[in-house]
Amino acid sequence: MATTRLWARAALLGALLGLVQGGRRLGRLAEKKLCADADCSHPISIAVAVQDYIAPDCRFVPIQRGQVVYVFSKLKGRGRLFWGGSVQGDYYGEHPARLGFFPSSVVQENQYLKPGKVEVKTDVSSRAAARGHPSIAGEGGGLPTP
């Protein structure tokens, strides 16, 4: 019992330290993004993950093959290989949606909801990611504010 608590505390501490990223400010992935609307609050499309993706830091969302992903933004310029979106648990409503970025190559869009033609500047502070809100991290954000 005591060993289980110790491991749980160690895991929690490791997760918290991972979110802080050693106190470093996380850089932007892109200066601009394409969204369905000016607030980037409406999904552009629905996609399905074709492979697993392990998130390297708090700006990104881990994805498992077969999961449904709602795409809210597509980064432009140097970050053009990344999209912003949300991922649900195995069953809708089982877990809160996780928000963040992922490579466009790990998903396949299968339903287009609204054209992503509105260009939006990514100017939100990256401190949001450190507070546990990787979705709006300004690193090319484009997801609804949680």
Side-chain angles (χ1 to χ4, degrees):
M1 182 81 164
T3 305
T4 304
R5 284 189 204 148
L6 181 62
W7 281 109
R9 288 181 182 171
L12 179 60
L13 180 61
L16 291 174
L17 291 175
L19 285 176
V20 174
Q21 291 292 314
R24 295 188 321 259
R25 183 176 173 95
L26 301 172
R28 284 188 182 192
L29 294 175
E31 296 295 321
K32 295 186 179 186
K33 59 194 170 196
L34 293 174
C35 300
D37 56 46
D39 296 326
C40 297
S41 61
H42 192 283
I44 296 170
S45 63
I46 299 173
V48 175
V50 295
Q51 68 185 60
D52 292 347
Y53 174 67
I54 298 171
D57 65 44
C58 64
R59 298 172 294 174
F60 299 88
V61 63
I63 297 175
Q64 294 177 348
R65 184 175 186 214
Q67 280 188 306
V68 173
V69 179
Y70 290 85
V71 179
F72 284 89
S73 66
K74 297 181 178 184
L75 304 186
K76 290 187 70 178
R78 67 180 184 210
R80 69 185 174 280
L81 300 177
F82 291 94
W83 292 351
S86 68
V87 179
Q88 283 291 144
D90 291 339
Y91 297 98
Y92 186 77
E94 179 183 323
H95 300 288
R98 292 172 303 185
L99 307 168
F101 299 103
F102 53 89
S104 58
S105 62
V106 302
V107 298
Q108 180 178 353
E109 290 176 294
N110 59 10
Q111 186 175 358
Y112 297 93
L113 303 173
K114 218 170 177 184
K117 295 183 177 181
V118 179
E119 189 172 288
V120 179
K121 186 176 179 183
T122 58
D123 58 359
V124 179
S125 169
S126 66
R127 289 185 204 134
R131 289 193 311 263
H133 301 288
S135 61
I136 60 166
E139 318 308 288
L143 305 178
T145 304

